[in-house]
Amino acid sequence: MRVALIIAVLAVAGVAQAQATRQTGEGYQGAHFAVAAPGGASWTLNCGFPPHQMAGAGTVNRFDLEGQGRAAGRLPTYRAWCALTKTGGEGPVGFALVKDGTPSAAGTNDPAEPARVEIF
């Protein structure tokens, strides 16, 4: 539990820099997200949300991203449920979603126990 709390704080600290988005374009106007992996661990972020129209992509309801270390960006909507899974490497992983200026964060050090956050 302590590791999750520490990573959640690290993830929230990274939210301020989420303006430098990984996703660009008019379709990504929703919640900011930030992933923290201070030990350089690899991870996957899987988000679902109600069907959302995006120019050039049609209707989407999933957002999937994989990486290593830190990442930040935006989702296409402000309503989402996400799971962050550690896939390898050293150290814990954590992430935060921000809606109306309020972050919701979670973290994990166990690949079998994804960190989960929902915003509605």
Side-chain angles (χ1 to χ4, degrees):
M1 178 66 180
R2 185 171 181 214
V3 170
L5 179 60
I6 291 168
I7 286 303
V9 169
L10 288 172
V12 171
V15 169
Q17 297 177 10
Q19 296 293 340
T21 61
R22 198 167 190 167
Q23 286 65 42
T24 58
E26 292 181 26
Y28 294 96
Q29 301 280 328
H32 289 273
F33 71 86
V35 177
S42 57
W43 46 265
T44 59
L45 178 65
N46 305 106
C47 298
F49 40 85
H52 182 78
Q53 275 298 111
M54 288 183 63
T59 302
V60 296
N61 67 348
R62 298 270 334 139
F63 175 88
D64 299 305
L65 184 66
E66 59 183 60
Q68 182 176 1
R70 186 188 178 296
R74 290 184 87 162
L75 297 176
T77 178
Y78 282 99
R79 294 179 58 208
W81 46 95
C82 300
L84 178 74
T85 304
K86 178 179 173 179
T87 58
E90 296 298 319
V93 296
F95 79 111
L97 297 177
V98 179
K99 180 178 180 180
D100 299 329
T102 303
S104 298
T108 186
N109 197 25
D110 183 352
E113 294 292 327
R116 299 182 189 283
V117 172
E118 295 180 359
I119 56 173
F120 291 99

